Amino acid sequence: RAGSADLRDLIDVLPFGLSEVPPKRHAAALKGVVPGIGPGDFVCTWFGGIWDWMDPSALVRGAGQAAARDGRVKLYFTTYRRPSGEVPEMARKTRDLADRLGFTGRSVFFGETPVPFDRRADVLLDSDVGVLAQAPNLETQLSARTRMLDYLWTDCPVVLTDGDEWADAAKATGFGVVLADNRPEAWRDAVLDLAGDPADPV
């Protein structure tokens, strides 16, 4: 049928990128708020869902190993359930693993439902590191991780696994640490390195 030559009557383009509005803290969200996470803790935040095409099992083990050496280290998953209340299979497996290892409520923590959009800055500004562990698959190579934009928006350092354009960008620009292998020891060492010596003044 007749229409615009560029098909804008059928297709439109939405903006995608960093917000031009700087992040602003309205209230504490994690440190001193979530039971078990203290004001002086070093919080690694998994922002967003624990989807079935991701693989945070090594991250959970690595965070637990890091916490055994430095009790300030805490791993916080912001979202366990979908907005509908459904629990993705990978989220269930991740929580079961943390439970089985005795990490839940000690070094690994789970928020239940998605963070409201207007509160995401509070969570990320209360975080010391943003983390992302991806499985090596086609989805990883083709995906556009909006959580990475939020990490960058709040100037939150990032640790992520290799295998997509975000990892390539992190290696090229240095905004994050890229793990060549998704192994617990790699996560442990990266987190401890970023956390620094707890005896050193901040």
Side-chain angles (χ1 to χ4, degrees):
R1 66 182 180 83
S4 59
D6 61 1
L7 300 181
R8 291 299 290 271
D9 57 334
L10 299 176
I11 303 171
D12 210 341
V13 178
L14 299 177
F16 181 81
L18 297 176
S19 173
E20 295 181 354
V21 179
K24 181 179 179 181
R25 186 192 304 273
H26 297 93
L30 301 179
K31 298 182 180 183
V33 176
V34 175
I37 299 180
D41 283 341
F42 185 86
V43 181
C44 306
T45 296
W46 176 287
F47 192 77
I50 313 172
W51 308 126
D52 294 344
W53 47 86
M54 297 177 174
D55 184 11
S57 58
L59 167 60
V60 168
R61 293 179 183 275
Q65 292 176 9
R69 298 189 184 184
D70 183 347
R72 299 174 302 148
V73 173
K74 304 294 168 63
L75 170 61
Y76 183 73
F77 290 92
T78 61
T79 307
Y80 179 63
R81 303 178 186 276
R82 297 179 185 272
S84 65
E86 176 191 1
V87 178
E89 182 62 23
M90 184 56 71
R92 192 185 312 279
K93 289 180 179 178
T94 301
R95 196 164 193 166
D96 287 349
L97 175 63
D99 290 347
R100 189 168 68 252
L101 295 174
F103 294 164
T104 304
R106 297 172 58 195
S107 56
V108 180
F109 301 82
F110 295 86
E112 286 296 316
T113 54
V115 175
F117 185 77
D118 59 358
R119 290 296 312 280
R120 74 194 194 284
D122 289 340
V123 171
L124 291 168
L125 290 173
D126 239 5
S127 304
D128 296 285
V129 174
V131 293
L132 178 61
Q134 309 177 100
N137 54 36
L138 185 61
E139 192 277 339
T140 294
Q141 298 174 38
L142 299 179
S143 62
R145 306 285 188 213
T146 55
R147 71 186 75 199
M148 294 295 297
L149 294 173
D150 286 326
Y151 292 152
L152 293 177
W153 178 56
T154 53
D155 200 24
C156 185
V158 180
V159 181
L160 71 160
T161 51
D162 209 347
D164 72 344
E165 290 188 2
W166 279 115
D168 293 341
K171 286 185 283 188
T173 64
F175 72 76
V177 176
V178 179
L179 304 182
D181 299 303
N182 189 17
R183 296 179 297 107
E185 296 77 15
W187 282 104
R188 177 199 65 203
D189 294 346
V191 169
L192 288 174
D193 184 59
L194 288 169
D197 188 337
D200 288 343
V202 177

